């Protein structure tokens, strides 16, 4: 699960991580109160930040929600010392469409603004924490190249990214924090302030069951404070039951409606841009299915993993989700009968097709226990199935029926 920057900073603040003061608003009528609170704290320069689940906000473009051809504002993050400018930026951002390199051309509607303290600083850094699956350890990455896409740094100047792996048996150690500080070239007060900062940041990552914690940029202020100027946090969905306060941050407006609907039925669904709907059991098999569809000349319209129990209910719900995408012209069902027998899957598919009224071609490939019995059941069902005996044949058949 992803959360907004202002929510990530609320979370980090609980763990003692230094962040800017700021207030989230959803209506322009809330702006005066936010400004008054900041001024009461002695703040006289401000940043207006669009809140969407995408990066590149500062370099994005704001378009009129009613006339998307009309450019309203360059940039979804604006710094100013002028209160009138704060109001101008807020009016142009809130309710309009922000397009960044991560949103695609359709962009995302800005429904929340974060009005924060504007800081003077002398250096931008990068810090990120995530799991390195290759070694089964958390890794802290740091770079002197803050404020730019870390992917670009990794591609063009990988030597500028420092990495420290954390042994889960002993946890993050102070000497590793010092190793990062030395690697970033920090000295004096900035060095001393970085050590507790990174220790608290890692603690926040672990304690919240985060899957990603990224600070870009992390800034060194003119008086050598270390501040998280931006914050991105993703969380392990399977651990959210332990963190109801974080689960409450979920913003359904930022998620695909079909993915939300699929989650109600415990289906793992991700919408893609193709025209071949995929219904598969197992994430690895789903990835292989999408690959072979592309090799056959087709384009997968989704990732859909129905899990180990492919029965009538899960298959019927899977059909409903897939058919909600108007781009889908055919469906490929690829099920391996291990936990569940293929003949039971076949009966579930037959019953589901009758219930849902599927009107586009369906290609079915079942492999595993009782696969031949299942194929015979499908052929004798009287329904419009194309039955394949191999994954290659299934991919070729589904791309052929689309034409």
């Amino acid at each position: 699960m992803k959360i907004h920057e202002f929510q990530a900073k609320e979370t980090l603040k609980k763990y003692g991580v230094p962040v800017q003061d700021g207030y989230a608003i959803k209506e322009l009528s809330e702006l005066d109160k936010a400004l008054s609170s900041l001024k009461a704290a002695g703040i006289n320069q401000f940043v207006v930040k669009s809140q969407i689940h995408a990066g590149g906000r500062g370099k994005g473009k704001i378009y009129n929600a009613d006339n998307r051809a009309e450019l309203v504002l360059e940039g979804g993050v604006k710094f100013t010392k002028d209160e009138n400018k704060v109001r101008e930026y807020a009016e142009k951002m809130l309710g309009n469409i922000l397009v960044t390199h991560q949103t695609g051309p359709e962009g995302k509607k800005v429904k929340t603004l974060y009005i924060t303290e504007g800081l003077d600083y002398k250096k931008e850094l990068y810090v990120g924490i995530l799991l390195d699956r290759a070694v089964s350890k958390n890794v802290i990455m740091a770079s002197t190249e803050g404020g730019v896409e870390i992917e670009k740094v990794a591609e063009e100047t990988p030597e500028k990214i420092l990495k420290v792996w954390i042994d889960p048996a002993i946890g993050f150690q102070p000497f590793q924090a010092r190793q990062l500080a030395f690697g970033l070239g920090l000295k004096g007060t900035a060095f001393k302030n970085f050590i507790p900062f990174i220790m608290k940041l890692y603690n926040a990552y672990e304690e919240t069951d985060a899957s990603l914690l990224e600070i870009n940029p992390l800034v060194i202020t003119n008086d050598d404070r270390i501040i998280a100027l931006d914050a991105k946090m993703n969380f392990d969905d399977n651990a959210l039951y332990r963190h109801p306060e974080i689960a409450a941050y979920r913003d359904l407006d930022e998620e695909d409606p079909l993915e939300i609907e699929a989650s109600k039925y415990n289906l793992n669904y991700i919408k893609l841009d193709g025209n071949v709907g995929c219904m598969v059991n197992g994430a690895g098999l789903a990835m292989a299915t999408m690959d072979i569809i592309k090799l056959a000349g087709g384009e997968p319209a989704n990732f859909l993993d129905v899990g180990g129990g492919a029965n009538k209910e899960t298959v019927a719900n899977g059909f409903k989700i897939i058919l909600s995408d108007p781009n889908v012209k055919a469906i490929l069902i690829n099920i391996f009968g291990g936990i569940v027998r293929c003949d039971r899957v076949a009966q579930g598919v037959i019953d589901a097709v009758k219930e849902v009224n599927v009107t586009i071609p369906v290609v079915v490939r079942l492999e595993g226990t009782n696969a031949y019995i299942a194929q015979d059941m499908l052929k004798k069902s009287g329904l419009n199935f194309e039955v394949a005996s191999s994954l290659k044949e299934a991919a070729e058949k589904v791309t052929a029926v689309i034409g």
Side-chain angles (χ1 to χ4, degrees):
M1 187 186 83
K2 298 178 180 179
I3 62 175
H4 290 293
E5 175 196 352
F6 77 93
Q7 296 166 330
K9 286 184 174 177
E10 285 177 4
T11 302
L12 293 178
K13 201 169 185 178
K14 295 175 184 177
Y15 290 88
V17 177
V19 299
Q20 298 155 289
D21 287 326
Y23 297 88
I25 66 169
K26 293 182 178 293
E27 304 286 344
L28 287 173
S29 58
E30 301 172 309
L31 181 58
D32 285 339
K33 182 179 179 181
L35 282 172
S36 296
S37 298
L38 289 171
K39 288 191 296 180
I43 294 166
N44 57 13
Q45 48 189 20
F46 314 96
V47 182
V48 183
K49 293 188 167 189
S50 302
Q51 299 293 285
I52 62 170
H53 286 178
R57 292 170 296 158
K59 296 179 181 179
K61 297 178 185 293
I62 302 285
Y63 291 91
N64 190 308
D66 298 320
N67 177 14
R68 295 200 176 205
E70 179 188 348
L71 178 63
V72 177
L73 187 66
E74 290 276 1
V77 176
K78 289 291 187 179
F79 170 87
T80 183
K81 297 181 179 181
D82 186 341
E83 290 182 45
N84 292 324
K85 279 289 185 180
V86 172
R87 291 186 175 87
E88 178 188 332
Y89 294 145
E91 289 171 359
K92 290 182 176 180
M93 291 181 191
L94 200 58
N96 283 324
I97 306 300
L98 174 56
V99 177
T100 79
H101 70 281
Q102 289 190 10
T103 65
E106 68 279 5
K108 289 191 174 185
K109 190 171 186 177
V110 179
K111 296 186 176 182
T112 305
L113 294 179
Y114 191 35
I115 314 299
T116 78
E117 172 188 11
L119 292 173
D120 295 318
Y121 55 87
K122 56 188 176 183
K123 180 65 178 174
E124 292 183 343
L125 306 172
Y126 169 91
V127 171
I129 310 173
L130 71 162
L131 173 65
D132 184 345
R133 297 182 184 278
V135 295
S136 299
K137 293 180 181 179
N138 289 327
V139 59
I140 302 177
M141 300 185 299
S143 176
T144 55
E145 304 302 300
V148 298
E149 293 84 5
I150 195 64
E151 296 85 0
K152 184 178 180 181
V153 178
E155 182 180 351
E156 297 178 0
T157 52
E159 70 280 0
K160 292 185 177 181
I161 300 179
L162 312 169
K163 294 182 181 179
V164 169
W165 286 267
I166 311 305
D167 187 330
I170 60 174
F172 185 36
Q173 297 296 303
F175 80 87
Q176 293 176 306
R178 292 192 293 273
Q179 180 182 342
L180 288 168
F182 281 123
L184 291 170
L186 301 182
K187 297 178 181 179
T189 303
F191 181 99
K192 293 177 182 178
N193 287 336
F194 179 82
I195 304 303
F197 176 94
I198 196 67
M199 298 293 289
K200 290 173 182 177
L201 192 72
Y202 186 79
N203 184 49
Y205 171 85
E206 280 222 317
E207 291 293 319
T208 59
D209 290 304
S211 57
L212 170 71
L213 203 174
E214 187 176 64
I215 309 298
N216 190 23
L218 169 70
V219 299
I220 306 174
T221 64
N222 291 347
D223 56 355
D224 283 330
R225 289 179 296 150
I226 305 292
I227 306 286
L229 200 66
D230 196 1
K232 177 181 180 181
M233 294 186 78
N234 296 352
F235 299 92
D236 183 350
D237 292 345
N238 295 315
L240 286 176
Y241 73 93
R242 292 202 290 249
H243 307 283
E245 74 287 355
I246 293 174
Y249 283 146
R250 186 181 182 187
D251 186 349
L252 297 180
D253 290 335
E254 291 287 325
E255 299 181 27
D256 186 285
L258 292 180
E259 294 180 17
I260 296 170
E261 188 67 18
S263 68
K264 296 177 183 177
Y265 306 111
N266 295 318
L267 300 173
N268 297 308
Y269 174 89
I270 298 173
K271 187 180 181 303
L272 303 173
D273 296 328
N275 54 13
V276 179
C278 306
M279 189 183 306
V280 189
N281 66 333
L285 187 58
M287 298 294 287
T289 302
M290 292 191 294
D291 285 344
I292 204 161
I293 287 172
K294 289 185 71 71
L295 288 172
E299 289 292 335
N302 65 271
F303 171 104
L304 176 62
D305 175 11
V306 298
N311 53 33
K312 172 188 171 183
E313 286 72 28
T314 56
V315 173
N317 289 325
F319 274 130
K320 291 174 184 176
I321 298 297
I322 291 173
L323 293 171
S324 297
D325 181 354
N327 295 326
V328 173
K329 307 302 179 187
I331 296 174
L332 172 56
I333 299 175
N334 184 26
I335 302 289
F336 177 76
I339 297 175
V340 58
R341 299 197 319 254
C342 287
D343 54 322
R344 290 189 177 179
V345 175
Q347 190 60 54
V349 171
I350 292 166
D351 293 342
V353 168
K354 290 177 179 178
E355 176 185 313
V356 178
N357 186 29
V358 180
T359 57
I360 60 176
V362 177
V363 177
V364 184
R365 181 253 183 174
L366 300 175
E367 190 58 78
T369 307
N370 290 351
Y372 293 112
I373 297 173
Q375 291 175 15
D376 192 53
M377 290 172 63
L378 292 169
K379 291 174 182 177
K380 292 179 178 178
S381 67
L383 298 171
N384 187 26
F385 290 119
E386 285 280 346
V387 180
S389 56
S390 71
L391 183 50
K392 181 175 183 290
E393 181 188 357
E396 290 171 348
K397 282 189 172 185
V398 79
T399 52
V401 296
I402 292 174

